[in-house]
């Protein structure tokens, strides 16, 4: 497995902190591997480390609850600080009480968790003011390519556009196994984690809405527009229920909402958002007859890359014309338009005209999958294969 220094470098300044270090993210994005890599780094510095994996039945049997965990750790304490790693900590009863207590001992506590018992909302509720969290995402392209090279397997941008970056997906020997893995992962997240956690009774309606949302990535939505669409499919659902379902998906790190930004109001618009999948494979496994939505997946990938690189993102609405991203970082602003190709004149005119009448105070960028450089005097054109290997903008 590759070393994910991007995330470890964010955690490193907190190694000695009394705060609980929570590594979180969607299932199977590589949280446990990062936890192991942090542990190995500290061990290489002769630090005293204790790693407990609560996905393992023998560990859970020996340490079933908070009292047992506190007692077990107490046996391993000494004069030197103990670095305690609790993988999938939600699998023991009273994990929150244990973490609150152990952080007061002479130890530095690191935990992972992502399933139905430990979603984003729980951190604030159970460890308020006592934690720092680190959001991990599936592989971006550079990571996926590095891991594929490590495995000795070919991996092209087209593979990433369809199958995304879940680490174990790259390990599958063929497309049949890949699809099975991704479908099983989808079932675990949607059916096991969310439906069981929230006791969803109308499961067929929930699943129809989830399917609709995940195949409609990189599009502008409102909760009302989703409810109206479902009504057209003879499914009656209220706007509050749609909002509730969207919150469930966000809490499980399945989707992210991006607000619209109006330069006229100089503010974000609260009613409409763009929705992006955490990984484009969630779109592709729902594609009919292998007709993959490469256009919207490409935009989704660009969004994930920008977030990974630390940009704050909104959708730019200029006089009713949409530009895909308004990206800001370190006091610099960028306007970014994304298209699969501008080789045809109609597509070229449409994409470049989005920047018309906008001054050049912000850097204007167009990203496409074309090989030809279409840069102009005012718009920088980045080829996708170049953008995915860049560090910034």
């Amino acid at each position: 497995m590759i070393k994910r220094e991007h995330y470890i470098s964010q955690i490193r300044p907190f190694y000695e902190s009394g705060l609980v270090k929570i590594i979180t993210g969607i299932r199977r994005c590589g949280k446990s591997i990062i936890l192991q890599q942090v542990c190995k780094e500290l061990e290489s510095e002769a630090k005293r480390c204790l790693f407990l994996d609560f996905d393992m039945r023998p560990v859970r049997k020996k340490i079933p609850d908070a009292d047992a965990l506190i007692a077990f750790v107490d046996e391993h304490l000494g004069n030197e600080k103990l670095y305690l790693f609790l993988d999938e900590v939600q699998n023991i009863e009273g994990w929150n009480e244990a973490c609150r207590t152990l952080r007061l001992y002479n130890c530095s506590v690191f935990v992972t968790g992502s399933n139905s018992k430990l979603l984003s909302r729980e951190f604030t509720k159970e460890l308020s003011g006592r934690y720092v969290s680190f959001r991990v995402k599936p592989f971006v392209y550079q990571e996926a390519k590095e891991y594929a090279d490590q495995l000795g397997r070919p991996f092209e941008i087209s593979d990433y556009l369809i199958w995304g970056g879940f680490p174990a997906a790259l390990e599958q020997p063929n497309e049949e196994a890949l699809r099975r893995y991704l479908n099983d992962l989808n079932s675990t997240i949607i059916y096991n984690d969310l439906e069981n956690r929230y006791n969803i009774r109308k499961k067929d309606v929930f699943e129809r809405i989830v399917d609709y949302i995940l195949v409609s990535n990189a599009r502008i939505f409102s909760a009302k527009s989703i409810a109206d669409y479902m009504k057209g499919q003879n499914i009656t659902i209220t706007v509050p229920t749609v909002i509730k379902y969207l919150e469930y998906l966000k809490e499980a790190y399945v989707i992210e909402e991006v607000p619209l930004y109006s330069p006229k109001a100089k503010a974000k618009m609260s009613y409409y958002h763009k929705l992006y999948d955490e990984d484009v494979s969630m779109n592709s496994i729902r594609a009919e007859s292998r007709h993959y939505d490469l256009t919207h997946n490409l935009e989704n990938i660009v969004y994930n890359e920008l977030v990974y690189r630390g940009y704050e993102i909104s959708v730019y609405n200029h006089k009713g014309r949409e530009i895909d991203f308004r990206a800001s970082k370190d006091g610099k602003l960028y306007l970014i338009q994304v298209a699969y190709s501008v080789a045809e004149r109609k597509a070229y005119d449409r994409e470049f005209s989005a920047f018309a009448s906008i001054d050049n105070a912000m850097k204007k960028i167009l990203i496409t999958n074309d090989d030809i450089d279409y840069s102009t005097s005012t718009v920088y054109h980045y080829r996708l294969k170049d953008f995915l290997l860049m560090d910034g903008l």
Side-chain angles (χ1 to χ4, degrees), residues 170-185:
L170 278 74
E171 302 168 1
Q172 304 310 310
N174 53 50
E175 185 177 322
E176 180 182 358
L178 172 61
R179 284 180 172 276
R180 178 169 294 180
Y181 170 78
L182 290 171
N183 277 304
D184 286 348
L185 176 59

Side-chain angles (χ1 to χ4, degrees), residues 139-304:
F139 286 154
V140 294
Y141 176 74
Q142 287 195 60
E143 293 177 312
K145 184 68 167 65
E146 182 182 354
Y147 190 42
D149 290 345
Q150 190 180 94
L151 295 170
R153 296 187 174 178
F155 189 77
E156 305 297 333
I157 289 176
S158 57
D159 298 316
Y160 190 65
L161 279 169
I162 297 172
W163 301 119
F166 280 110
L170 278 74
E171 302 168 1
Q172 304 310 310
N174 53 50
E175 185 177 322
E176 180 182 358
L178 172 61
R179 284 180 172 276
R180 178 169 294 180
Y181 170 78
L182 290 171
N183 277 304
D184 286 348
L185 176 59
N186 175 79
S187 296
T188 299
I189 295 170
I190 304 304
Y191 309 142
N192 183 59
D193 288 357
L194 296 181
E195 290 183 351
N196 291 341
R197 171 184 171 81
Y198 295 109
N199 193 27
I200 296 173
R201 288 175 296 176
K202 296 183 178 179
K203 295 183 178 181
D204 56 334
V205 174
F206 177 70
E207 291 163 17
R208 287 281 299 276
I209 290 176
V210 170
D211 287 343
Y212 174 62
I213 290 170
L214 292 177
V215 299
S216 304
N217 55 331
R219 294 168 175 86
I220 292 177
F221 281 104
S222 68
K224 185 178 184 303
S225 71
I226 295 174
D228 289 344
Y229 174 82
M230 288 298 158
K231 184 177 180 180
Q233 303 296 308
N234 296 317
I235 297 174
T236 300
I237 187 167
T238 65
V239 170
T241 300
V242 171
I243 293 173
K244 183 169 60 176
Y245 287 172
L246 288 170
E247 288 300 318
Y248 295 167
L249 292 171
K250 287 190 291 182
E251 285 183 358
Y253 306 107
V254 175
I255 62 169
E256 291 187 17
E257 283 185 347
V258 179
L260 272 67
Y261 178 89
S262 170
K264 184 176 181 180
K266 295 183 179 180
K268 294 176 181 178
M269 302 164 68
S270 58
Y271 296 105
Y272 291 91
H273 296 79
K274 261 191 174 182
L275 297 179
Y276 291 96
D277 296 350
E278 181 71 353
D279 188 83
V280 296
S281 62
M282 296 177 174
N283 177 305
S284 296
I285 61 173
R286 291 171 167 82
E288 296 182 2
S289 304
R290 289 179 164 79
H291 188 70
Y292 303 116
D293 189 358
L294 300 182
T295 298
H296 291 97
N297 280 1
L298 192 155
E299 182 180 331
N300 205 137
I301 284 170
V302 171
Y303 169 77
N304 287 339

Side-chain angles (χ1 to χ4, degrees), residues 90-105:
Q90 75 283 340
N91 287 327
I92 65 168
E93 185 178 348
W95 65 268
N96 51 324
E97 295 177 6
C99 287
R100 285 200 298 264
T101 299
L102 291 170
R103 64 177 289 271
L104 300 176
Y105 284 20

